[in-house]
Amino acid sequence: MSHFTASNPDFAQQLVSAVTAMPMAKWLGLRFCDVRLGEVKLEIGYREELSFTPGKMQATAIFAAADFAAVAAAGTLLPVGWVNASIDCNLKIVAPGDGEKLLARGRVITPGKMITVCAADVFSVRDGKETLCATALATARNIDTGRH
């Protein structure tokens, strides 16, 4: 149960639509599995063009999963007419991304009006077994588009 309050009742649908419309998200094949206030779960399937050697995801794909998950989690708390963007993300890779897909769980650490601190854990999934491969701490800049 989330301890956050939704200022935008359509936050989940709007977030998923906005993120999955991004060219990079499309190219990565990013798919949301779950969206809740302050939390998201998304996945990126293994593809050869995302690997640095056959069977192992390149660090850039792992970073993208972490960044998208963390900042999307922050996006769930935005009011109508606001968007956000990454301004900082620190990733620590702790194991190879050598599964069939990456599963990233993003969460809000500290929300704010202009800046939200968020985090994500990225798991390599093989045969249904999750292995932590990276963790990230990120900062999202919240931007008023003026479209309320």
Side-chain angles (χ1 to χ4, degrees):
M1 180 69 118
S2 174
H3 60 279
F4 299 112
T5 304
S7 61
N8 178 356
D10 297 322
F11 73 91
Q13 184 275 325
Q14 289 177 14
L15 174 80
V16 171
S17 293
V19 172
T20 57
M22 293 178 184
M24 180 57 74
K26 286 180 184 179
W27 186 82
L28 289 166
L30 183 147
R31 186 179 78 79
F32 282 91
C33 305
D34 192 25
V35 178
R36 299 170 192 246
L37 280 175
E39 300 176 6
V40 302
K41 184 166 66 169
L42 59 83
E43 64 183 28
I44 296 173
Y46 175 83
R47 294 193 334 256
E48 195 67 30
E49 59 266 33
L50 299 177
S51 67
F52 73 92
T53 188
K56 295 195 179 3
M57 295 283 255
Q58 207 269 345
T60 306
I62 295 169
F63 178 88
D67 183 59
F68 270 112
V71 176
T76 66
L77 303 181
L78 295 174
V80 173
W82 286 66
V83 296
N84 67 1
S86 303
I87 58 171
D88 179 65
C89 188
N90 186 322
L91 181 76
K92 300 298 181 193
I93 296 175
V94 298
D98 59 358
E100 298 128 8
K101 64 182 174 182
L102 297 174
L103 176 67
R105 291 187 178 95
R107 64 194 178 283
V108 169
I109 303 296
T110 305
K113 180 173 170 107
M114 301 308 287
I115 300 287
T116 298
V117 178
C118 42
D121 293 318
V122 181
F123 300 85
S124 178
V125 182
R126 177 169 301 288
D127 299 323
K129 181 179 181 251
E130 297 178 12
T131 302
L132 180 68
C133 68
T135 189
L137 183 63
T139 308
R141 170 77 164 91
N142 305 324
I143 304 160
D144 185 352
T145 65
R147 290 177 270 158
H148 301 269

